Every structure is written in structure tokens, then in C-alpha cells.
Amino acid sequence: MVAPPRPIRQTNVALLVLLSGAFVTGWLAFGLESSPESRAVGITHGILGLGILVLAPWKSVIVRRGMRRRRRHALAIAFSLVVMVTLLSGLVHATLGPVEVAGVSVLAVHVASAVAAVPLALLHVVRRRQRLRATDVSRRTALRALAVGGASALVYGAVESVSTGAGLPGARRRATGSYEVGSRVPAAMPVTQWFTDGVPRVDVTAYELLVGRADASRLRVPYRDLLAMAGTTRPAVLDCTGGWWAGQTWRGVPLDALLGTPEHGSIVVRSVTGYTRLFPAEDASALLLATHVGGAPLSPGHGAPVRLVAPGRRGFWWVKWVEEVSVDPRSWWSQPPFPLQ
Ligand code: HEM
Ligand code: HEM
Ligand SMILES: Nc1nc2c(c(=O)[nH]1)N[C@H]1C(S)=C(S)[C@@H](COP(=O)(O)O)O[C@H]1N2
Ligand SMILES: [Mo]
């Protein structure tokens, strides 16, 4: 087979780098709480994603050539559409705000289409291998890559300037890309589950928290005893990967009051629905098992009778309807980075 000309190879390889980079930084942005690092990750993500748009004029030449030369295009066209949906939904979220399309957040559309793009990208690339040659690695190539990076950064800057200049909601998003919804008004804060969980009804009169200490002792603490211990008040921001955040004042029991500060392993927090997260043992005093938000008991949607408040962590760590807190021999990093439930 004759190798395609160099500009074609280089454009396609650049697209591969941009796509993979955007995919990885997207998940990183999903995991990080607001910080200078998360801002840098978010900006890098935007620049990589917009780089695909920058290369579109060059890619369109390749597409026309491919359409002439090849016979079956259905997958390549599906791939193009999915990438366009990913780009458009990312841009809409970053500029117009937490828009919903038929009850689904535009950010959820963004992530879903990015995930759907993976198998299509693999099929596309495997059938159209681009083998780099020695002549592809040159000063000229490096300069071209720099030019693409610079142009992408300019496009990113332009989007941000237009956002700010036109007073679009995007100018008010947090470093994580999330928008403020319902701060200090718990009833106005969205009720969200990570993936497949649903809101259970927990009978408070029969409820007992299972506490497993480092010395292997286990106790059951009824709700009224937790209420009696719930004297610690903390402000904390809940930032959901669905694209919204809210600051509330939470009241409850710090985990070290129940568990001490374990010296080894981790702390497992599990809900009545089985939703589970492991935390570093040294976080015991920072984690709060909340009974109240904004001065009132938690609603069922927000985690009644007790839910975890994990300051400095994204929403998916804030386990609702907690049934058990225990010291665990596993290390916290042995779990998948995101819940699977
Ligand atoms: C290859 C796939 C992807 C592409 C091409 C892409 C592209 C983009 C683009 C162009 C933006 C708008 C950037 C801006 O103007 O500020 C964006 C925003 C965003 N993307 Fe992606 N993305 C991809 C995958 C993902 C994945 C897998 C996730 C999460 C799991 C993700 C999460 C986000 C978030 C949270 C934002 C909002 C960031 C902000 O507002 O600053 N993306 N993406
Ligand atoms: C944003 C990502 C991409 C999109 C939307 C896209 C889309 C397309 C489309 C619609 C075609 C023409 C139809 C066809 O060949 O069946 C095409 C051709 C082609 N694509 Fe992509 N592509 C992307 C990335 C890549 C990557 C990462 C590679 C390889 C590393 C690649 C390699 C090729 C090659 C070699 C052709 C030309 C085939 C020929 O001339 O026979 N593409 N692409
Ligand atoms: N048991 C359980 N807890 C959970 C979840 C879940 O699906 N199951 N979702 C988490 C996610 S992704 C977020 S953003 C917050 C949302 O809390 P809220 O519904 O009180 O706003 O709960 C977290 N706690
Ligand atoms: Mo979330």
C-alpha cells in the first residue's frame, strides 16, 4: 500500500493526539476539586478540544479524498457526527451554562458522546493506520505543532473573551466548569445520583449506623444518638460532575469522633443502596457525617438520615444514606477512580 502524503499523516496523527489528550484531561477535570491545578487541566482540556476545530480545514481535504477513494463511510460519518456533538456540547456548557436538552444536562451529553467516540475512533484509526516516517520528525513538524497549539489557545482565549464581554453565564463558572445552583438554599439544590442509584426511603426510627473501629470492634449507633453527637458545623461546597455546585452549612459528627484516626488502611463509607467509597485514614477529622444542612434535617433526596460531607472532594465522594463507616484494611487508591454504580 502506498503511504498517504505527509500533510495527511501529520494532520491525522495530530487529531489522534488531540482526541486522546482531550479524553484524558476530561476525566481528570471530572475528578479534581476546584484548585489552580484543576483550572490548568480545564484550560488544557478546552485547548486540546478546540484544536480539533482548528485542524478541521486540513481534515476536510482528507475527508474529501477518503470519500472518493473508499467505499464504506458509515462509521467514519458516525464518528464525525459524534465528535461534532462532543465539541458542540462542551462549548455550550462552557459558555451558555448548565443547559438541559430533554431533561439531560448538556455536560452529560458531552461525556456520553465522548465515550461513544472511543470505539468509533478505534475502528477509524485501526482501518487507516498512519505510520510516521523519519521525515515526519523534523523542525518543520515541531513548528507546525506549535502553530496548531498556538491557534487552539487563541481560539480558547477568544471563546473566553466573548463569554466575558457578552456577559454569558460561562464567565461565572467555577474552575471545575461548574455553575452555582442553590447555595444556602438546600431545597433549591439539585438532587443527583452518580449513575444508577435511586433515592431510598429510610425509616429513621429503625435506623442504626454501623461503625467498625480499627480494633475490630463493631457498634450500632441509633439515629437519636447521632443527633446528640451532631454538634459540628462546617461550610462546604458540593461540586457535582453534572456541572453545578452549591455552598451549604452542614452539621453533623466528624468521622474521627466515631472511628478515632486510624493509623493504617482506609475508611469505607457505604450507603444503604450499596454505593461505596474508600477514603484515606488521615481524612477522618475532615469528613463529616451530616444530619443537617442549612439548619434543618436532611431531606430524603439529599441523603436522610445521614450523608457524608467531604470538603475539597467532588460530589461523587459525598455518599448519601450512609449505613456504615468502618476502618478497612484496603488502601483508598485500590478502588476505581470513579464509582461504577
Ligand atoms: C475527546 C473527547 C473530548 C473533546 C473533544 C472535548 C472537548 C471539549 C471542549 C471543546 C470543551 C469546551 C472548552 C471551553 O471552551 O472551555 C469541553 C469542556 C468540558 N469537557 Fe470535554 N471533551 C472531551 C471529552 C471529555 C470527557 C471524557 C469529559 C469528562 C469525563 C469532559 C469534561 C468536560 C468538562 C467538565 C468541560 C467544561 C470545562 C469548562 O467549562 O471549563 N470532556 N470539552
Ligand atoms: C476528529 C477526528 C476525526 C474525524 C471526525 C475523522 C473523519 C474522517 C472522515 C469522515 C473521513 C473520510 C471518509 C472515510 O475515509 O471513510 C476520514 C478519512 C481518513 N481518516 Fe479520519 N477522522 C478523524 C481522525 C482521524 C485519525 C486520528 C486518523 C488516524 C490516525 C484518521 C485517519 C484517516 C485517514 C487515513 C483517512 C483517509 C482515508 C483515505 O484517503 O483513503 N482520521 N476521516
Ligand atoms: N448513595 C449515593 N450517594 C451519592 C450518590 C449516589 O449515586 N448514591 N451520588 C453522589 C453524587 S454524584 C453527588 S453530586 C451528590 C449529590 O448530592 P445531592 O443529591 O444532595 O445534591 O451525592 C453523591 N452521593
Ligand atoms: Mo455528581
Side-chain angles (χ1 to χ4, degrees):
M1 194 183 90
V2 185
R6 183 161 71 183
I8 291 187
R9 289 198 305 273
Q10 291 188 342
T11 302
N12 285 332
V13 170
L15 282 173
L16 186 60
V17 170
L18 293 170
L19 275 175
S20 327
F23 194 78
V24 170
T25 51
W27 284 105
L28 271 179
F30 239 38
L32 293 172
E33 226 312 70
S34 181
S35 66
E37 294 80 48
S38 77
R39 183 172 294 277
V41 167
I43 292 173
T44 308
H45 180 69
I47 292 176
L48 290 167
L50 293 171
I52 296 169
L53 282 183
V54 166
L55 286 178
W58 286 273
K59 182 66 186 186
S60 73
V61 176
I62 304 173
V63 168
R64 261 177 267 138
R65 180 176 183 268
M67 295 302 252
R68 273 198 312 270
R69 283 166 29 108
R70 298 187 165 245
R71 282 216 246 132
R72 279 195 287 260
H73 305 299
L75 280 174
I77 289 165
F79 178 39
S80 310
L81 290 177
V82 168
V83 170
M84 283 180 215
V85 169
T86 306
L87 288 173
L88 186 68
S89 53
L91 272 170
V92 167
H93 176 83
T95 53
L96 302 183
V99 181
E100 292 206 348
V101 191
V104 185
S105 79
V106 75
L107 188 55
V109 171
H110 181 65
V111 178
S113 57
V115 169
V118 172
L120 294 171
L122 288 176
L123 287 171
H124 187 76
V125 171
V126 165
R127 290 182 185 167
R128 298 172 186 72
R129 282 271 160 85
Q130 299 293 279
R131 219 162 280 148
L132 285 180
R133 350 213 110 208
T135 52
D136 284 334
V137 188
S138 67
R139 225 175 96 87
R140 232 167 84 211
T141 311
L143 287 177
R144 275 195 197 134
L146 265 180
V148 171
S152 310
L154 279 180
V155 173
Y156 182 87
V159 171
E160 286 296 298
S161 310
V162 168
S163 235
T164 310
L168 295 182
R172 293 188 299 274
R173 69 203 202 280
R174 219 170 167 237
T176 56
S178 295
Y179 293 86
E180 187 169 21
V181 182
S183 282
R184 293 172 303 281
V185 188
M189 184 169 76
V191 168
T192 33
Q193 279 67 247
W194 172 254
F195 200 38
T196 57
D197 227 352
V199 177
R201 287 274 159 177
V202 183
D203 176 10
V204 175
T205 52
Y207 173 83
E208 288 181 326
L209 174 72
L210 193 59
V211 177
R213 298 232 173 98
D215 60 9
S217 64
R218 295 176 82 68
L219 51 147
R220 293 175 172 278
V221 186
Y223 181 60
R224 59 172 185 286
D225 293 6
L226 286 173
L227 278 182
M229 295 173 78
T232 303
T233 299
R234 279 183 198 156
V237 167
L238 171 52
D239 187 332
C240 175
T241 49
W244 59 269
W245 68 272
Q248 309 289 359
T249 303
W250 306 89
R251 178 151 69 83
V253 192
L255 282 197
D256 61 347
L258 294 162
L259 297 173
T261 299
E263 280 168 24
H264 308 286
S266 61
I267 296 168
V268 61
V269 180
R270 183 174 54 79
S271 81
V272 301
T273 56
Y275 187 90
T276 304
R277 287 269 90 190
L278 293 171
F279 297 82
E282 63 267 25
D283 285 7
S285 60
L287 297 168
L288 189 73
L289 200 59
T291 55
H292 287 68
V293 59
L298 296 173
S299 64
H302 291 309
V306 293
R307 73 99 47 88
L308 193 69
V309 169
R313 287 179 187 269
R314 294 299 288 273
F316 64 86
W317 294 92
W318 296 44
V319 183
K320 302 193 277 190
W321 319 296
V322 173
E323 180 172 62
E324 178 182 3
V325 292
S326 290
V327 178
D328 195 283
R330 286 171 292 177
S331 45
W332 67 270
W333 40 261
S334 68
Q335 69 193 327
F338 297 98
L340 303 175
Q341 177 181 2

